[in-house]
Amino acid sequence: MRPVQKSDAVWLLEAYSDWHEIHGDHLPVSQHDVNKWVIRWMKTSNNETALVNEAGTSLITFRHEGSEAFVDNLVTHPDHRRQGHANALIDELTEYLLNEGADHATFKTLAGPIRERYGLRGNVTADDARRTLGRRNNPEGGE
């Protein structure tokens, strides 16, 4: 994972291009919107962190406050969806948050991989996350 960069705004616009269709209550996203978000995400003073996978195809935003983490946003470029990029990013972020002392995470983004993994509520404890990561890292059983 790496921090979001200004150059990510180009592919992020494409990633958000169908956001309003998927999430019916949102208006179409403009390049101005994406540029504004990227600038906000690049500022470390707002307590929100945005990380991009190494392939530059998925982004996740989160806040980490004490023992809790709140994941707000997870988006993947349309050409790279359903290929495991978002799941890999969730795994990396989960491991990072566990190492940073989070014992509970709330996933606000309730679609796709997060919903499939953590259910409708999007809440996960550190123990649940460790079990999930254990199953993903060792699918034959055992943790």
Side-chain angles (χ1 to χ4, degrees):
M1 292 185 299
R2 64 168 173 78
V4 68
Q5 302 167 354
K6 283 184 182 180
S7 59
D8 291 315
V10 175
W11 71 264
L12 281 168
L13 177 61
E14 293 180 32
Y16 281 106
S17 64
D18 58 0
W19 194 256
H20 65 286
E21 294 169 19
I22 295 170
H23 302 281
D25 59 343
H26 294 284
L27 296 173
V29 175
S30 70
Q31 186 70 61
H32 176 75
D33 295 327
V34 173
N35 290 343
K36 204 167 45 172
W37 298 337
V38 168
I39 289 168
R40 184 184 82 216
W41 292 330
M42 289 175 60
K43 293 180 182 177
T44 57
S45 60
N46 67 5
N47 199 29
E48 184 178 30
T49 303
L51 299 173
V52 174
N53 66 341
E54 292 302 323
T57 59
S58 295
L59 168 126
I60 195 164
T61 66
F62 67 96
R63 292 172 284 126
H64 181 210
E65 300 168 1
S67 65
E68 293 195 324
F70 304 91
V71 177
D72 294 321
N73 206 347
L74 176 64
V75 65
T76 299
H77 188 281
D79 293 345
H80 301 278
R81 291 181 186 155
R82 311 306 285 168
Q83 298 176 25
H85 296 287
N87 273 316
L89 199 54
I90 293 168
D91 288 349
E92 283 187 69
L93 179 63
T94 301
E95 288 184 37
Y96 168 81
L97 292 171
L98 290 172
N99 290 335
E100 292 294 312
D103 62 14
H104 183 266
T106 300
F107 290 87
K108 184 175 139 190
T109 302
L110 294 178
I114 290 177
R115 186 173 187 169
E116 291 166 13
R117 187 178 300 184
Y118 297 124
L120 275 174
R121 292 177 307 156
N123 294 314
V124 62
T125 66
D127 290 338
D128 291 338
R130 284 186 184 93
R131 278 193 293 278
T132 300
L133 287 171
R135 282 193 303 272
R136 290 179 66 73
N137 293 333
N138 186 5
E140 298 299 318
E143 296 188 33

